[in-house]
Amino acid sequence: MVTEMPLNVKEQYPFQAHYLKVNGRIMHYLDEGEGEPILLLHGNPTWTFLYRKFIPILVEAGYRVISPDLIGLGMSEKPCNDYYNSLLHHTSNLDQLVKKLDLKNVTLVMQDWAGPIGLGYVMRRRENVKAMLLMSTWAWTDVSPFHSSIFPWGMMHAPVVGPYLLQRRNALTERGLWLSVVNRDKMTEEVVDGYRFHLQSYDERGAFLRFPRMIPLGEKNKENTGYHIIKEIEEQLPGLDIPALIIWGEPDDVFPREWAERFYEILPIAQKPIYIQAKHFIQEDEPEFISRELVRFLESL
Amino acid sequence: MQWIQFDDKLAGYRRELVLTETRLDHYDEFRQFFRQELNLQPEDVDGGRNHYFQAESGRVYELIFVGKTGRFFPAGLEILLLVKDINPLPDEDEIDKDLWEFLRWMISGVGGEWTVEALESTGYLYRVPFAERPAKSRK
């Protein structure tokens, strides 16, 4: 369903829309500023709106900022089937975007699903990667306590319950975002409007369900998830000799602080993690701080 | 909710798809539950009968179980609301209330680590208006 962006969303997101085709699907992306390219990558259930406060700071600092909406989310095409949404699809889509825009020496900013998707790209195209920023994400087949519990996460994407909560009730947008930030006063109706306006119907919200179901949950769901792909990334992490900045929310209850330490210990060229008062949607909690730390980090390389 | 025979009364109704589940085997115990509870057989995809339940509201829903090569049956489930003639669809919340009833029935049947309490708590946390407040948070 095509809907015009409401005025209150436009005011928060005053960027020019761009579109291109990747693997036969229409991808929406932002392309702002000039300079070395920084790719701002989102996960589920967000879109490039998540980075609206990063973009002006990074552009002002002299970078070209490219931020794509994953196929199935944001203003990109939202297919109504299960077959477009695998890690390999999304990593291939990212690779296509980089190739079509002829981006060289890219810096990847990754949070949530953008971690496995972006690291899958880094693994295959490391010669084209300058640096990376990792926030509230993962790259191993271990299950976090949050993801392994029945209440609330397991129940959230269980058969039949999943389509009910995530598609009919739009639970992640209407409540999940709010639950996963520290500064809840900042999650005003205007901000939530930014996350909900492009997902008004049941069919448009299919990705909300498909992403949780890709999370490896041990042996039980091995064949139905991204297990094998994430395992491959996990095995290659120690060899990813790319400068890495790690910024993590101290009270993050989706991906615990220990996982930031784990990235730091595994990655060969990682800076000691920076911990801030933020939860999973760290970009909503501390956009200015993270953007400035990223600029400082890139200038130090 | 109660199961009813409805096949011979379908004339004059239209089907409105209200929920699609493409991966009943996401947790296989759910697929097995439906298979056993409703005595589903793989050959049902070849002309077998559909199932109908009536919610407390009186509305009737049809369950269509989907088979796919390469997967165990039933691979998926479609839930359709039967709406008389050209009557409008009820409000989404009314349908959601009926479906919540169905979810409660399903979870209590799947059992094991899948408890109705966990369903209600999840629903309550995510502001499903029909979900019961968990006992621990009641004052």
mmCIF file of all heavy atoms in Angstrom, chain A residues 197-243:
data_model
loop_
_atom_site.group_PDB
_atom_site.id
_atom_site.type_symbol
_atom_site.label_atom_id
_atom_site.label_comp_id
_atom_site.label_asym_id
_atom_site.label_seq_id
_atom_site.Cartn_x
_atom_site.Cartn_y
_atom_site.Cartn_z
ATOM 1 N N PHE A 197 3.932 4.489 9.952
ATOM 2 C CA PHE A 197 3.105 4.968 8.843
ATOM 3 C C PHE A 197 3.195 4.101 7.584
ATOM 4 O O PHE A 197 2.245 3.983 6.828
ATOM 5 C CB PHE A 197 3.459 6.423 8.496
ATOM 6 C CG PHE A 197 4.513 6.563 7.433
ATOM 7 C CD1 PHE A 197 4.163 6.628 6.094
ATOM 8 C CD2 PHE A 197 5.853 6.604 7.765
ATOM 9 C CE1 PHE A 197 5.131 6.733 5.121
ATOM 10 C CE2 PHE A 197 6.818 6.708 6.808
ATOM 11 C CZ PHE A 197 6.462 6.765 5.474
ATOM 12 N N HIS A 198 4.342 3.460 7.391
ATOM 13 C CA HIS A 198 4.537 2.703 6.150
ATOM 14 C C HIS A 198 4.155 1.232 6.308
ATOM 15 O O HIS A 198 4.377 0.429 5.403
ATOM 16 C CB HIS A 198 5.996 2.804 5.711
ATOM 17 C CG HIS A 198 6.940 2.402 6.801
ATOM 18 N ND1 HIS A 198 7.396 1.132 6.936
ATOM 19 C CD2 HIS A 198 7.444 3.114 7.840
ATOM 20 C CE1 HIS A 198 8.157 1.062 8.012
ATOM 21 N NE2 HIS A 198 8.204 2.253 8.580
ATOM 22 N N LEU A 199 3.604 0.871 7.453
ATOM 23 C CA LEU A 199 3.262 -0.532 7.713
ATOM 24 C C LEU A 199 1.829 -0.609 8.222
ATOM 25 O O LEU A 199 1.579 -1.034 9.333
ATOM 26 C CB LEU A 199 4.221 -1.112 8.750
ATOM 27 C CG LEU A 199 5.669 -1.201 8.286
ATOM 28 C CD1 LEU A 199 6.605 -1.280 9.461
ATOM 29 C CD2 LEU A 199 5.862 -2.392 7.374
ATOM 30 N N GLN A 200 0.912 -0.163 7.376
ATOM 31 C CA GLN A 200 -0.456 -0.029 7.860
ATOM 32 C C GLN A 200 -1.292 -1.291 7.730
ATOM 33 O O GLN A 200 -2.355 -1.382 8.311
ATOM 34 C CB GLN A 200 -1.124 1.142 7.145
ATOM 35 C CG GLN A 200 -0.445 2.447 7.526
ATOM 36 C CD GLN A 200 -1.132 3.646 6.942
ATOM 37 O OE1 GLN A 200 -2.243 3.556 6.447
ATOM 38 N NE2 GLN A 200 -0.464 4.783 6.992
ATOM 39 N N SER A 201 -0.826 -2.234 6.937
ATOM 40 C CA SER A 201 -1.666 -3.419 6.745
ATOM 41 C C SER A 201 -0.940 -4.686 7.192
ATOM 42 O O SER A 201 0.285 -4.727 7.305
ATOM 43 C CB SER A 201 -2.054 -3.556 5.270
ATOM 44 O OG SER A 201 -0.932 -3.945 4.507
ATOM 45 N N TYR A 202 -1.732 -5.696 7.416
ATOM 46 C CA TYR A 202 -1.238 -7.010 7.865
ATOM 47 C C TYR A 202 -0.134 -7.534 6.944
ATOM 48 O O TYR A 202 0.936 -7.933 7.395
ATOM 49 C CB TYR A 202 -2.425 -7.973 7.879
ATOM 50 C CG TYR A 202 -2.115 -9.392 8.283
ATOM 51 C CD1 TYR A 202 -2.224 -9.787 9.605
ATOM 52 C CD2 TYR A 202 -1.740 -10.342 7.329
ATOM 53 C CE1 TYR A 202 -1.962 -11.097 9.982
ATOM 54 C CE2 TYR A 202 -1.478 -11.647 7.697
ATOM 55 C CZ TYR A 202 -1.584 -12.015 9.020
ATOM 56 O OH TYR A 202 -1.314 -13.312 9.380
ATOM 57 N N ASP A 203 -0.402 -7.513 5.641
ATOM 58 C CA ASP A 203 0.560 -8.087 4.695
ATOM 59 C C ASP A 203 1.886 -7.338 4.693
ATOM 60 O O ASP A 203 2.933 -7.932 4.443
ATOM 61 C CB ASP A 203 -0.029 -8.097 3.277
ATOM 62 C CG ASP A 203 -1.103 -9.162 3.135
ATOM 63 O OD1 ASP A 203 -1.088 -10.127 3.917
ATOM 64 O OD2 ASP A 203 -1.969 -9.020 2.246
ATOM 65 N N GLU A 204 1.846 -6.048 4.954
ATOM 66 C CA GLU A 204 3.087 -5.256 4.937
ATOM 67 C C GLU A 204 3.990 -5.575 6.128
ATOM 68 O O GLU A 204 5.150 -5.191 6.143
ATOM 69 C CB GLU A 204 2.755 -3.755 4.960
ATOM 70 C CG GLU A 204 2.164 -3.255 3.668
ATOM 71 C CD GLU A 204 1.758 -1.792 3.769
ATOM 72 O OE1 GLU A 204 1.015 -1.441 4.699
ATOM 73 O OE2 GLU A 204 2.188 -1.001 2.923
ATOM 74 N N ARG A 205 3.446 -6.240 7.120
ATOM 75 C CA ARG A 205 4.216 -6.477 8.348
ATOM 76 C C ARG A 205 4.814 -7.888 8.414
ATOM 77 O O ARG A 205 5.233 -8.335 9.472
ATOM 78 C CB ARG A 205 3.315 -6.254 9.572
ATOM 79 C CG ARG A 205 2.793 -4.843 9.664
ATOM 80 C CD ARG A 205 1.832 -4.696 10.839
ATOM 81 N NE ARG A 205 1.077 -3.470 10.740
ATOM 82 C CZ ARG A 205 -0.200 -3.340 11.094
ATOM 83 N NH1 ARG A 205 -0.861 -4.368 11.576
ATOM 84 N NH2 ARG A 205 -0.815 -2.178 10.964
ATOM 85 N N GLY A 206 4.880 -8.548 7.305
ATOM 86 C CA GLY A 206 5.373 -9.924 7.299
ATOM 87 C C GLY A 206 6.808 -10.052 7.797
ATOM 88 O O GLY A 206 7.164 -11.026 8.462
ATOM 89 N N ALA A 207 7.646 -9.068 7.476
ATOM 90 C CA ALA A 207 9.061 -9.149 7.885
ATOM 91 C C ALA A 207 9.197 -9.125 9.403
ATOM 92 O O ALA A 207 10.145 -9.696 9.944
ATOM 93 C CB ALA A 207 9.851 -8.004 7.264
ATOM 94 N N PHE A 208 8.273 -8.456 10.084
ATOM 95 C CA PHE A 208 8.329 -8.411 11.555
ATOM 96 C C PHE A 208 8.360 -9.825 12.138
ATOM 97 O O PHE A 208 8.967 -10.069 13.168
ATOM 98 C CB PHE A 208 7.092 -7.696 12.128
ATOM 99 C CG PHE A 208 7.073 -6.214 11.914
ATOM 100 C CD1 PHE A 208 5.986 -5.473 12.325
ATOM 101 C CD2 PHE A 208 8.135 -5.544 11.333
ATOM 102 C CE1 PHE A 208 5.941 -4.091 12.149
ATOM 103 C CE2 PHE A 208 8.110 -4.172 11.143
ATOM 104 C CZ PHE A 208 7.004 -3.452 11.557
ATOM 105 N N LEU A 209 7.663 -10.730 11.456
ATOM 106 C CA LEU A 209 7.590 -12.112 11.915
ATOM 107 C C LEU A 209 8.758 -12.935 11.377
ATOM 108 O O LEU A 209 9.306 -13.788 12.078
ATOM 109 C CB LEU A 209 6.265 -12.728 11.449
ATOM 110 C CG LEU A 209 6.057 -14.213 11.718
ATOM 111 C CD1 LEU A 209 5.999 -14.475 13.221
ATOM 112 C CD2 LEU A 209 4.773 -14.691 11.055
ATOM 113 N N ARG A 210 9.126 -12.672 10.147
ATOM 114 C CA ARG A 210 10.149 -13.524 9.504
ATOM 115 C C ARG A 210 11.518 -13.326 10.135
ATOM 116 O O ARG A 210 12.298 -14.278 10.221
ATOM 117 C CB ARG A 210 10.180 -13.236 8.008
ATOM 118 C CG ARG A 210 8.893 -13.694 7.333
ATOM 119 C CD ARG A 210 8.842 -13.446 5.846
ATOM 120 N NE ARG A 210 7.535 -13.845 5.335
ATOM 121 C CZ ARG A 210 6.608 -13.007 4.896
ATOM 122 N NH1 ARG A 210 6.839 -11.719 4.870
ATOM 123 N NH2 ARG A 210 5.438 -13.449 4.469
ATOM 124 N N PHE A 211 11.851 -12.124 10.573
ATOM 125 C CA PHE A 211 13.162 -11.921 11.205
ATOM 126 C C PHE A 211 13.303 -12.692 12.519
ATOM 127 O O PHE A 211 14.283 -13.410 12.698
ATOM 128 C CB PHE A 211 13.445 -10.430 11.406
ATOM 129 C CG PHE A 211 14.042 -9.781 10.188
ATOM 130 C CD1 PHE A 211 13.297 -8.944 9.393
ATOM 131 C CD2 PHE A 211 15.359 -10.023 9.832
ATOM 132 C CE1 PHE A 211 13.844 -8.359 8.254
ATOM 133 C CE2 PHE A 211 15.917 -9.448 8.703
ATOM 134 C CZ PHE A 211 15.157 -8.606 7.912
ATOM 135 N N PRO A 212 12.373 -12.579 13.452
ATOM 136 C CA PRO A 212 12.534 -13.352 14.693
ATOM 137 C C PRO A 212 12.679 -14.847 14.443
ATOM 138 O O PRO A 212 13.390 -15.537 15.156
ATOM 139 C CB PRO A 212 11.249 -13.061 15.477
ATOM 140 C CG PRO A 212 10.771 -11.770 14.954
ATOM 141 C CD PRO A 212 11.195 -11.711 13.513
ATOM 142 N N ARG A 213 12.005 -15.319 13.403
ATOM 143 C CA ARG A 213 12.061 -16.753 13.139
ATOM 144 C C ARG A 213 13.384 -17.200 12.525
ATOM 145 O O ARG A 213 13.629 -18.387 12.388
ATOM 146 C CB ARG A 213 10.884 -17.162 12.251
ATOM 147 C CG ARG A 213 9.587 -17.078 13.022
ATOM 148 C CD ARG A 213 8.419 -17.597 12.234
ATOM 149 N NE ARG A 213 7.239 -17.651 13.081
ATOM 150 C CZ ARG A 213 6.055 -18.048 12.677
ATOM 151 N NH1 ARG A 213 5.894 -18.435 11.428
ATOM 152 N NH2 ARG A 213 5.039 -18.071 13.502
ATOM 153 N N MET A 214 14.210 -16.252 12.126
ATOM 154 C CA MET A 214 15.532 -16.602 11.591
ATOM 155 C C MET A 214 16.582 -16.730 12.689
ATOM 156 O O MET A 214 17.699 -17.175 12.449
ATOM 157 C CB MET A 214 16.009 -15.521 10.623
ATOM 158 C CG MET A 214 15.511 -15.676 9.204
ATOM 159 S SD MET A 214 16.615 -14.813 8.067
ATOM 160 C CE MET A 214 16.507 -13.126 8.600
ATOM 161 N N ILE A 215 16.243 -16.297 13.903
ATOM 162 C CA ILE A 215 17.231 -16.337 14.984
ATOM 163 C C ILE A 215 17.479 -17.789 15.378
ATOM 164 O O ILE A 215 16.535 -18.510 15.722
ATOM 165 C CB ILE A 215 16.735 -15.540 16.215
ATOM 166 C CG1 ILE A 215 16.535 -14.075 15.849
ATOM 167 C CG2 ILE A 215 17.728 -15.666 17.377
ATOM 168 C CD1 ILE A 215 15.853 -13.252 16.931
ATOM 169 N N PRO A 216 18.727 -18.238 15.325
ATOM 170 C CA PRO A 216 19.008 -19.623 15.719
ATOM 171 C C PRO A 216 18.645 -19.857 17.181
ATOM 172 O O PRO A 216 18.969 -19.048 18.047
ATOM 173 C CB PRO A 216 20.520 -19.751 15.520
ATOM 174 C CG PRO A 216 20.897 -18.652 14.609
ATOM 175 C CD PRO A 216 19.941 -17.540 14.891
ATOM 176 N N LEU A 217 17.963 -20.961 17.429
ATOM 177 C CA LEU A 217 17.577 -21.305 18.798
ATOM 178 C C LEU A 217 18.121 -22.681 19.166
ATOM 179 O O LEU A 217 17.440 -23.509 19.756
ATOM 180 C CB LEU A 217 16.051 -21.281 18.931
ATOM 181 C CG LEU A 217 15.390 -19.927 18.732
ATOM 182 C CD1 LEU A 217 13.877 -20.063 18.647
ATOM 183 C CD2 LEU A 217 15.764 -18.959 19.847
ATOM 184 N N GLY A 218 19.357 -22.934 18.764
ATOM 185 C CA GLY A 218 19.973 -24.216 19.082
ATOM 186 C C GLY A 218 19.573 -25.288 18.087
ATOM 187 O O GLY A 218 19.149 -24.993 16.967
ATOM 188 N N GLU A 219 19.671 -26.529 18.516
ATOM 189 C CA GLU A 219 19.457 -27.669 17.615
ATOM 190 C C GLU A 219 18.025 -27.721 17.073
ATOM 191 O O GLU A 219 17.788 -28.109 15.945
ATOM 192 C CB GLU A 219 19.738 -28.971 18.380
ATOM 193 C CG GLU A 219 21.198 -29.161 18.749
ATOM 194 C CD GLU A 219 22.102 -29.281 17.529
ATOM 195 O OE1 GLU A 219 21.728 -29.972 16.572
ATOM 196 O OE2 GLU A 219 23.168 -28.637 17.526
ATOM 197 N N LYS A 220 17.080 -27.292 17.940
ATOM 198 C CA LYS A 220 15.663 -27.450 17.649
ATOM 199 C C LYS A 220 15.238 -26.901 16.273
ATOM 200 O O LYS A 220 14.518 -27.545 15.526
ATOM 201 C CB LYS A 220 14.895 -26.726 18.756
ATOM 202 C CG LYS A 220 13.479 -27.134 18.934
ATOM 203 C CD LYS A 220 12.943 -26.485 20.201
ATOM 204 C CE LYS A 220 11.464 -26.666 20.345
ATOM 205 N NZ LYS A 220 10.942 -25.983 21.509
ATOM 206 N N ASN A 221 15.678 -25.690 15.974
ATOM 207 C CA ASN A 221 15.204 -25.038 14.760
ATOM 208 C C ASN A 221 16.318 -24.820 13.742
ATOM 209 O O ASN A 221 16.204 -23.967 12.880
ATOM 210 C CB ASN A 221 14.593 -23.668 15.106
ATOM 211 C CG ASN A 221 13.314 -23.816 15.856
ATOM 212 O OD1 ASN A 221 13.099 -24.825 16.488
ATOM 213 N ND2 ASN A 221 12.452 -22.835 15.775
ATOM 214 N N LYS A 222 17.350 -25.606 13.871
ATOM 215 C CA LYS A 222 18.560 -25.412 13.073
ATOM 216 C C LYS A 222 18.293 -25.219 11.576
ATOM 217 O O LYS A 222 18.873 -24.351 10.943
ATOM 218 C CB LYS A 222 19.441 -26.655 13.276
ATOM 219 C CG LYS A 222 20.903 -26.374 13.276
ATOM 220 C CD LYS A 222 21.609 -27.639 13.744
ATOM 221 C CE LYS A 222 23.094 -27.501 13.655
ATOM 222 N NZ LYS A 222 23.771 -28.673 14.207
ATOM 223 N N GLU A 223 17.432 -26.051 11.039
ATOM 224 C CA GLU A 223 17.253 -26.029 9.581
ATOM 225 C C GLU A 223 16.346 -24.894 9.113
ATOM 226 O O GLU A 223 16.333 -24.564 7.940
ATOM 227 C CB GLU A 223 16.684 -27.372 9.102
ATOM 228 C CG GLU A 223 17.579 -28.561 9.430
ATOM 229 C CD GLU A 223 19.025 -28.379 8.953
ATOM 230 O OE1 GLU A 223 19.227 -27.872 7.839
ATOM 231 O OE2 GLU A 223 19.950 -28.728 9.713
ATOM 232 N N ASN A 224 15.592 -24.307 10.021
ATOM 233 C CA ASN A 224 14.633 -23.281 9.601
ATOM 234 C C ASN A 224 15.152 -21.867 9.810
ATOM 235 O O ASN A 224 14.442 -20.901 9.561
ATOM 236 C CB ASN A 224 13.323 -23.414 10.400
ATOM 237 C CG ASN A 224 12.669 -24.751 10.182
ATOM 238 O OD1 ASN A 224 12.956 -25.421 9.208
ATOM 239 N ND2 ASN A 224 11.817 -25.147 11.094
ATOM 240 N N THR A 225 16.346 -21.717 10.322
ATOM 241 C CA THR A 225 16.803 -20.387 10.717
ATOM 242 C C THR A 225 18.084 -20.017 9.977
ATOM 243 O O THR A 225 18.490 -20.682 9.039
ATOM 244 C CB THR A 225 17.109 -20.365 12.225
ATOM 245 O OG1 THR A 225 18.214 -21.243 12.466
ATOM 246 C CG2 THR A 225 15.920 -20.812 13.048
ATOM 247 N N GLY A 226 18.723 -18.954 10.461
ATOM 248 C CA GLY A 226 19.987 -18.531 9.852
ATOM 249 C C GLY A 226 21.176 -19.223 10.491
ATOM 250 O O GLY A 226 22.306 -18.744 10.386
ATOM 251 N N TYR A 227 20.939 -20.362 11.139
ATOM 252 C CA TYR A 227 21.985 -21.034 11.925
ATOM 253 C C TYR A 227 23.288 -21.218 11.136
ATOM 254 O O TYR A 227 24.356 -20.819 11.570
ATOM 255 C CB TYR A 227 21.466 -22.388 12.421
ATOM 256 C CG TYR A 227 22.464 -23.141 13.276
ATOM 257 C CD1 TYR A 227 22.469 -23.009 14.660
ATOM 258 C CD2 TYR A 227 23.422 -23.976 12.696
ATOM 259 C CE1 TYR A 227 23.386 -23.681 15.444
ATOM 260 C CE2 TYR A 227 24.341 -24.657 13.472
ATOM 261 C CZ TYR A 227 24.321 -24.513 14.841
ATOM 262 O OH TYR A 227 25.239 -25.175 15.599
ATOM 263 N N HIS A 228 23.187 -21.836 9.977
ATOM 264 C CA HIS A 228 24.406 -22.203 9.253
ATOM 265 C C HIS A 228 25.171 -20.966 8.776
ATOM 266 O O HIS A 228 26.405 -20.938 8.787
ATOM 267 C CB HIS A 228 24.061 -23.108 8.068
ATOM 268 C CG HIS A 228 23.476 -24.421 8.507
ATOM 269 N ND1 HIS A 228 24.213 -25.368 9.161
ATOM 270 C CD2 HIS A 228 22.216 -24.909 8.424
ATOM 271 C CE1 HIS A 228 23.442 -26.409 9.447
ATOM 272 N NE2 HIS A 228 22.215 -26.149 9.022
ATOM 273 N N ILE A 229 24.443 -19.934 8.395
ATOM 274 C CA ILE A 229 25.089 -18.712 7.909
ATOM 275 C C ILE A 229 25.763 -17.977 9.076
ATOM 276 O O ILE A 229 26.895 -17.495 8.961
ATOM 277 C CB ILE A 229 24.031 -17.771 7.260
ATOM 278 C CG1 ILE A 229 23.252 -18.527 6.182
ATOM 279 C CG2 ILE A 229 24.691 -16.538 6.687
ATOM 280 C CD1 ILE A 229 24.079 -19.072 5.060
ATOM 281 N N ILE A 230 25.072 -17.913 10.204
ATOM 282 C CA ILE A 230 25.646 -17.228 11.364
ATOM 283 C C ILE A 230 26.853 -18.013 11.889
ATOM 284 O O ILE A 230 27.854 -17.435 12.302
ATOM 285 C CB ILE A 230 24.569 -17.003 12.449
ATOM 286 C CG1 ILE A 230 23.530 -16.002 11.916
ATOM 287 C CG2 ILE A 230 25.193 -16.483 13.741
ATOM 288 C CD1 ILE A 230 22.402 -15.684 12.858
ATOM 289 N N LYS A 231 26.769 -19.321 11.822
ATOM 290 C CA LYS A 231 27.901 -20.166 12.237
ATOM 291 C C LYS A 231 29.135 -19.847 11.389
ATOM 292 O O LYS A 231 30.263 -19.743 11.902
ATOM 293 C CB LYS A 231 27.511 -21.645 12.079
ATOM 294 C CG LYS A 231 28.515 -22.618 12.646
ATOM 295 C CD LYS A 231 28.411 -22.647 14.153
ATOM 296 C CE LYS A 231 29.478 -23.502 14.785
ATOM 297 N NZ LYS A 231 29.588 -23.240 16.234
ATOM 298 N N GLU A 232 28.905 -19.663 10.118
ATOM 299 C CA GLU A 232 30.006 -19.349 9.198
ATOM 300 C C GLU A 232 30.628 -17.994 9.563
ATOM 301 O O GLU A 232 31.855 -17.842 9.580
ATOM 302 C CB GLU A 232 29.428 -19.312 7.775
ATOM 303 C CG GLU A 232 30.455 -19.395 6.684
ATOM 304 C CD GLU A 232 29.812 -19.269 5.295
ATOM 305 O OE1 GLU A 232 28.563 -19.227 5.202
ATOM 306 O OE2 GLU A 232 30.553 -19.194 4.331
ATOM 307 N N ILE A 233 29.777 -17.031 9.885
ATOM 308 C CA ILE A 233 30.284 -15.707 10.283
ATOM 309 C C ILE A 233 31.078 -15.846 11.577
ATOM 310 O O ILE A 233 32.191 -15.311 11.707
ATOM 311 C CB ILE A 233 29.123 -14.705 10.469
ATOM 312 C CG1 ILE A 233 28.414 -14.462 9.132
ATOM 313 C CG2 ILE A 233 29.627 -13.389 11.052
ATOM 314 C CD1 ILE A 233 27.102 -13.717 9.255
ATOM 315 N N GLU A 234 30.508 -16.571 12.523
ATOM 316 C CA GLU A 234 31.157 -16.771 13.826
ATOM 317 C C GLU A 234 32.566 -17.334 13.646
ATOM 318 O O GLU A 234 33.519 -16.883 14.292
ATOM 319 C CB GLU A 234 30.295 -17.728 14.653
ATOM 320 C CG GLU A 234 30.830 -18.009 16.037
ATOM 321 C CD GLU A 234 29.917 -18.964 16.815
ATOM 322 O OE1 GLU A 234 28.905 -19.434 16.257
ATOM 323 O OE2 GLU A 234 30.222 -19.233 17.987
ATOM 324 N N GLU A 235 32.693 -18.284 12.776
ATOM 325 C CA GLU A 235 33.994 -18.930 12.576
ATOM 326 C C GLU A 235 35.009 -17.995 11.938
ATOM 327 O O GLU A 235 36.212 -18.148 12.130
ATOM 328 C CB GLU A 235 33.813 -20.189 11.722
ATOM 329 C CG GLU A 235 33.164 -21.320 12.510
ATOM 330 C CD GLU A 235 32.674 -22.480 11.663
ATOM 331 O OE1 GLU A 235 32.809 -22.431 10.419
ATOM 332 O OE2 GLU A 235 32.132 -23.423 12.255
ATOM 333 N N GLN A 236 34.514 -17.015 11.199
ATOM 334 C CA GLN A 236 35.456 -16.119 10.510
ATOM 335 C C GLN A 236 35.748 -14.832 11.279
ATOM 336 O O GLN A 236 36.621 -14.057 10.871
ATOM 337 C CB GLN A 236 34.917 -15.793 9.116
ATOM 338 C CG GLN A 236 34.861 -17.037 8.241
ATOM 339 C CD GLN A 236 34.902 -16.724 6.770
ATOM 340 O OE1 GLN A 236 35.462 -15.721 6.350
ATOM 341 N NE2 GLN A 236 34.303 -17.575 5.971
ATOM 342 N N LEU A 237 35.010 -14.595 12.361
ATOM 343 C CA LEU A 237 35.220 -13.347 13.123
ATOM 344 C C LEU A 237 36.686 -13.126 13.534
ATOM 345 O O LEU A 237 37.194 -12.010 13.411
ATOM 346 C CB LEU A 237 34.344 -13.321 14.376
ATOM 347 C CG LEU A 237 32.881 -12.917 14.245
ATOM 348 C CD1 LEU A 237 32.217 -12.926 15.615
ATOM 349 C CD2 LEU A 237 32.712 -11.564 13.577
ATOM 350 N N PRO A 238 37.382 -14.151 14.022
ATOM 351 C CA PRO A 238 38.759 -13.912 14.475
ATOM 352 C C PRO A 238 39.687 -13.422 13.361
ATOM 353 O O PRO A 238 40.734 -12.827 13.641
ATOM 354 C CB PRO A 238 39.212 -15.293 14.988
ATOM 355 C CG PRO A 238 37.951 -16.023 15.286
ATOM 356 C CD PRO A 238 36.949 -15.540 14.283
ATOM 357 N N GLY A 239 39.305 -13.650 12.126
ATOM 358 C CA GLY A 239 40.159 -13.222 11.012
ATOM 359 C C GLY A 239 39.745 -11.891 10.411
ATOM 360 O O GLY A 239 40.345 -11.437 9.434
ATOM 361 N N LEU A 240 38.703 -11.260 10.953
ATOM 362 C CA LEU A 240 38.231 -9.993 10.367
ATOM 363 C C LEU A 240 39.085 -8.834 10.886
ATOM 364 O O LEU A 240 38.738 -8.162 11.855
ATOM 365 C CB LEU A 240 36.754 -9.755 10.704
ATOM 366 C CG LEU A 240 35.725 -10.623 9.978
ATOM 367 C CD1 LEU A 240 34.319 -10.161 10.293
ATOM 368 C CD2 LEU A 240 35.948 -10.611 8.469
ATOM 369 N N ASP A 241 40.182 -8.600 10.217
ATOM 370 C CA ASP A 241 41.126 -7.571 10.675
ATOM 371 C C ASP A 241 40.717 -6.184 10.155
ATOM 372 O O ASP A 241 41.439 -5.552 9.395
ATOM 373 C CB ASP A 241 42.553 -7.931 10.256
ATOM 374 C CG ASP A 241 42.642 -8.263 8.778
ATOM 375 O OD1 ASP A 241 41.584 -8.372 8.136
ATOM 376 O OD2 ASP A 241 43.762 -8.409 8.263
ATOM 377 N N ILE A 242 39.549 -5.767 10.573
ATOM 378 C CA ILE A 242 38.983 -4.462 10.204
ATOM 379 C C ILE A 242 38.837 -3.666 11.496
ATOM 380 O O ILE A 242 38.315 -4.198 12.484
ATOM 381 C CB ILE A 242 37.568 -4.630 9.591
ATOM 382 C CG1 ILE A 242 37.549 -5.665 8.451
ATOM 383 C CG2 ILE A 242 36.987 -3.296 9.156
ATOM 384 C CD1 ILE A 242 38.116 -5.224 7.160
ATOM 385 N N PRO A 243 39.276 -2.410 11.517
ATOM 386 C CA PRO A 243 39.092 -1.603 12.739
ATOM 387 C C PRO A 243 37.617 -1.557 13.161
ATOM 388 O O PRO A 243 36.742 -1.277 12.342
ATOM 389 C CB PRO A 243 39.583 -0.221 12.325
ATOM 390 C CG PRO A 243 40.516 -0.465 11.183
ATOM 391 C CD PRO A 243 39.956 -1.659 10.457
#
